[in-house]
Amino acid sequence: SLNLQWNLVCDNDWKGPLSTSLFFVGVLLGSFLSGQLSDKFGRKNVLFATLAMQTGFSFIQVFSTSWEMFSVFFLLVGMGQISNYVAAFVLGTEILGKSIRVLFCTLGVCIFYAFGYMLLPLCAYFIRDWRMLLLALTLPGLLCIPLWWVIPESPRWLISQGRFEEAEDIIRKAAKTNGITAPDVILDRRELQDLNSQKQQTYTILDLVKTRNILTITVMSVLLWMIISVGYFGLSLDTPNLHGDVYVNCFLSAVIEVPAYVISWLLLRNLPRRYSMAAALFLGGCVLLFLQLVPSHIRALSVLLVMLGKFGITSAFAMVYVYTAELYPTVVRNMGVGASSMASRLGSILSPYFVYLGAYDRFLPYILMGSLTVLSGILTLFLPESYGMPLPDTIEQMLLVKGDSLFSFSLLPPPPPPPLTAAITTRDSKEEEENPEILKSTSF
């Protein structure tokens, strides 16, 4: 094994958890950089550049000759992995209609993540050599190359950059794919001229804390993501410490995510965001707190409760992506999701050490993770509600909040989008069902 090959035992056993933390440090750096790069160079370009980065460095990692070399490339793989994940998530959020967007963000993205998670213990069971296992997990990344000619750039991002002709071409292709006849004029030319005459404003990470309302949402999102990440990765990393076969437990930990994502999709589709997330977090946190009350001889019940806690936290993790993306406007959405994801990586870096607290008290990790999860559920109730509201495109639209206190406010519906944005906004009213527009659902 890797531990014996590089003598990661006894006095060097600290190197094992450090490798995991270094991977999450790479994820942290990638979360910070990917948002700004994606908002500047485009969702599609960053998505495929970081896919190449992840696949390339993973392949080099197979030939590592030392723990130091392995760890350095592990950090770089982490940077690429989260960068393409965030870029793909935001691209899908912006290019799809409202009903399809929720399906994509939950079942579309997350459930396939769960399938990959389930394949991991299966591959590890049959491929015991770590180099061959890493190679088997890396090569499928090459299958993403043909997708460059299939996946379009985000029309919303192109419009925000003043590249209106490219956005219109994508919209017309979408209309053709959907079997809809596109009108002669999709975007208002007079408004395009006005916008073209204006200097395009450059947004930075500082715009996420520029005013009181955005600062409040950013701070609360950061705390929420960090706590959820501690619970999710803490429970995932603690799987080998559960009773029973490590491969079976890892597989069960992956399987439980499938119904969690299905539930999160149903909740996002039919119920308000903050109440759905709070319920999932309360479930996950309370179950972990009750775990210490289970008699030690009832091992199956302990495993069941851990999986139920993973179910609740995983559901919340799926919903928080959608929720956060809906709170931020188009011009800084990728930075907002990226900054929140970056904060969650602080939690993931800490999560291995939550697990190792079990060496002092077996239930201490669950008590800490359960308490933090319940607190995050309470915090969620103070966020503004975005259910049933159109995505904001500008910071000015996001600023339309009401309330006198720091936490007592709710998001007001943004003003009607201008014609150029309305052309790519899915509307679900009965009138539009009778008179379908060009993008009833922007699918490619």
Side-chain angles (χ1 to χ4, degrees):
S1 69
L2 187 148
N3 288 340
L4 294 177
Q5 181 177 348
W6 290 330
N7 193 31
L8 305 184
V9 294
C10 299
D11 292 340
N12 291 324
D13 62 354
W14 56 272
K15 292 183 178 180
L18 181 58
S19 295
T20 304
S21 291
L22 286 175
F23 172 82
F24 287 122
V25 168
V27 173
L28 170 64
L29 296 174
S31 300
F32 176 74
L33 296 174
S34 65
Q36 299 182 68
L37 292 175
S38 184
D39 283 333
K40 184 176 182 179
F41 297 106
R43 293 21 173 162
K44 179 180 177 179
N45 291 332
V46 172
L47 169 62
F48 283 92
T50 53
L51 274 171
M53 176 182 177
Q54 178 184 351
T55 304
F57 286 131
S58 293
F59 183 75
I60 297 174
Q61 199 178 16
V62 173
F63 304 97
S64 298
T65 56
S66 66
W67 172 81
E68 289 78 9
M69 178 180 177
F70 179 89
S71 299
V72 168
F73 284 108
F74 208 20
L75 184 147
L76 295 173
V77 169
M79 290 181 62
Q81 185 269 335
I82 191 61
S83 297
N84 61 60
Y85 187 89
V86 172
F89 174 82
V90 174
L91 176 60
T93 299
E94 293 182 344
I95 210 168
L96 298 173
K98 184 172 64 176
S99 59
I100 304 298
R101 182 171 67 243
V102 173
L103 181 64
F104 165 80
C105 294
T106 50
L107 299 187
V109 173
C110 298
I111 207 165
F112 282 96
Y113 169 84
F115 288 154
Y117 191 175
M118 283 187 278
L119 288 175
L120 177 60
L122 293 177
C123 292
Y125 182 81
F126 292 103
I127 307 176
R128 298 302 176 96
D129 180 74
W130 70 269
R131 294 184 190 272
M132 296 305 299
L133 175 61
L134 183 56
L135 183 62
L137 297 175
T138 298
L139 291 179
L142 299 176
L143 299 177
C144 296
I145 294 177
L147 296 179
W148 172 266
W149 292 275
V150 178
I151 299 176
E153 183 56 270
S154 166
R156 287 181 179 270
W157 179 81
L158 291 171
I159 289 173
S160 71
Q161 300 296 305
R163 296 161 61 175
F164 306 108
E165 292 184 1
E166 295 177 58
E168 185 169 319
D169 288 341
I170 292 175
I171 295 171
R172 291 190 182 278
K173 290 179 181 178
K176 183 178 180 181
T177 302
N178 291 336
I180 298 172
T181 302
D184 294 334
V185 177
I186 298 178
L187 306 178
D188 191 314
R189 295 299 174 183
R190 290 176 300 177
E191 186 164 354
L192 295 184
Q193 293 175 357
D194 293 338
L195 290 173
N196 277 323
S197 64
Q198 299 175 3
K199 183 179 179 180
Q200 291 295 321
Q201 183 177 354
T202 301
Y203 295 92
T204 66
I205 195 73
L206 295 178
D207 287 291
L208 300 180
V209 295
K210 194 172 184 180
T211 67
R212 178 183 175 183
N213 288 334
I214 295 180
L215 173 63
T216 302
I217 293 176
T218 299
V219 170
M220 295 175 71
S221 296
V222 162
L223 292 174
L224 188 60
W225 280 64
M226 186 183 302
I227 294 173
I228 293 176
S229 182
V230 168
Y232 177 83
F233 288 103
L235 291 177
S236 298
L237 295 174
D238 191 57
T239 302
N241 297 327
L242 297 176
H243 300 292
D245 185 86
V246 61
Y247 296 102
V248 173
N249 289 337
C250 185
F251 182 76
L252 291 176
S253 181
V255 168
I256 198 64
E257 296 198 2
V258 175
Y261 294 136
V262 174
I263 289 295
S264 65
W265 170 62
L266 293 174
L267 291 175
L268 287 172
R269 185 178 181 183
N270 300 296
L271 296 174
R273 309 303 194 223
R274 56 181 174 182
Y275 297 125
S276 300
M277 275 194 58
L281 290 169
F282 285 140
L283 171 64
C286 292
V287 166
L288 295 181
L289 289 175
F290 289 148
L291 190 64
Q292 59 186 313
L293 304 178
V294 178
S296 58
H297 63 279
I298 312 180
R299 297 179 177 180
L301 181 57
S302 297
V303 174
L304 177 62
L305 290 179
V306 171
M307 296 304 167
L308 188 57
K310 179 77 179 296
F311 171 85
I313 294 175
T314 300
S315 297
F317 217 157
M319 289 186 279
V320 76
Y321 273 91
V322 179
Y323 199 4
T324 304
E326 291 179 344
L327 291 177
Y328 284 104
T330 301
V331 292
V332 293
R333 181 171 295 118
N334 214 104
M335 277 191 290
V337 175
S340 299
S341 180
M342 179 183 68
S344 78
R345 303 316 149 191
L346 293 175
S348 61
I349 291 172
L350 294 174
S351 60
Y353 299 99
F354 273 74
V355 174
Y356 297 129
L357 289 175
Y360 301 96
D361 185 321
R362 185 68 191 97
F363 296 107
L364 184 56
Y366 299 114
I367 293 173
L368 292 176
M369 289 187 290
S371 300
L372 288 174
T373 303
V374 171
L375 288 176
S376 66
I378 297 173
L379 180 65
T380 302
L381 297 174
F382 293 111
L383 281 169
E385 183 55 66
S386 62
Y387 177 65
M389 299 181 183
L391 288 176
D393 286 309
T394 65
I395 291 180
E396 288 73 19
Q397 293 174 354
M398 183 185 179
L399 291 175
L400 295 177
V401 296
K402 63 181 180 180
D404 298 324
S405 65
L406 183 65
F407 295 114
S408 177
F409 61 86
S410 60
L411 193 65
L412 292 177
L420 63 89
T421 312
I424 60 169
T425 302
T426 299
R427 292 161 293 181
D428 299 319
S429 64
K430 181 177 180 181
E431 178 183 356
E432 287 171 340
E433 290 178 359
E434 298 173 354
N435 301 284
E437 297 292 341
I438 176 174
L439 291 183
K440 200 60 184 175
S441 68
T442 314
S443 58
F444 295 83

